[in-house]
């Protein structure tokens, strides 16, 4: 019975991951349409989704380590992806939270990267 449970759980995780990646492919599709249409607002919306997806993918490294044992965790991940992509969550998260955080991170990275580049070229 133990093997059947682990096989079922692995398949469950696999299906949930496929659905989550399907949401990411939908963002690719929306980005393609925005590029074809040439609308700046649509492109901004897609870029906000990509920023949120990138941060979420990085956060998953940590959350997967701590919450993998929860049987509902894959559904939580799918729900969050659906919220980001279909529910307008990217704008709700990016504007009040990520914009400022990413701006600070970019300043720090630019400062340190420029320092390394200058020291490497001298």
């Amino acid at each position: 019975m133990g093997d059947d449970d682990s096989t079922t759980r692995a398949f469950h995780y696999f299906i949930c991951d496929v659905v989550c990646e399907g949401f990411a492919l939908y963002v690719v599709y929306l980005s393609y349409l925005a590029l074809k249409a040439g609308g700046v607002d649509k492109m901004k919306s897609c870029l906000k989704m990509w920023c949120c997806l990138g941060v979420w993918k990085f956060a998953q490294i940590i959350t997967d380590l701590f919450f993998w044992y929860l049987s509902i965790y894959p559904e939580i991940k799918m729900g969050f992806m659906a919220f980001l992509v279909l529910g307008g969550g990217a704008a709700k998260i990016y504007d009040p939270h990520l914009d400022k955080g990413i701006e600070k991170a970019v300043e720090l990275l630019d400062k340190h990267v420029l320092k390394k580049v200058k020291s490497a070229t001298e």
Side-chain angles (χ1 to χ4, degrees):
M1 180 152 161
D3 287 339
D4 289 340
D5 288 343
S6 62
T7 302
T8 303
R9 187 175 179 131
F11 184 71
H12 176 74
Y13 270 76
F14 172 74
I15 294 298
C16 290
D17 284 343
V18 168
V19 171
C20 286
E21 296 306 322
F23 284 125
L25 282 175
Y26 183 66
V27 176
V28 171
Y29 172 71
L30 292 176
S31 300
Y32 171 78
L33 293 178
L35 287 171
K36 284 297 210 182
V40 174
D41 290 337
K42 287 183 181 181
M43 285 187 225
K44 279 186 174 182
S45 174
C46 289
L47 288 172
K48 287 179 184 181
M49 278 192 266
W50 281 116
C51 287
C52 288
L53 286 175
V55 171
W56 169 239
K57 284 293 189 180
F58 183 76
Q60 273 185 304
I61 295 169
I62 298 164
T63 59
D64 285 353
L65 287 173
F66 292 107
F67 300 117
W68 62 269
Y69 61 90
L70 295 174
S71 60
I72 196 166
Y73 179 61
E75 285 83 5
I76 292 170
K77 290 189 333 184
M78 282 191 326
F80 188 71
M81 287 289 288
F83 168 71
L84 280 179
V85 176
L86 303 175
K92 293 173 185 169
I93 291 173
Y94 182 84
D95 292 331
H97 304 292
L98 284 183
D99 189 28
K100 295 172 189 152
I102 291 174
E103 190 174 321
K104 288 178 186 176
V106 167
E107 288 174 8
L108 287 173
L109 286 172
D110 285 346
K111 183 179 174 182
H112 293 291
V113 169
L114 289 175
K115 188 185 293 184
K116 295 285 184 187
V117 169
K118 284 181 184 179
S119 66
T121 57
E122 293 177 351

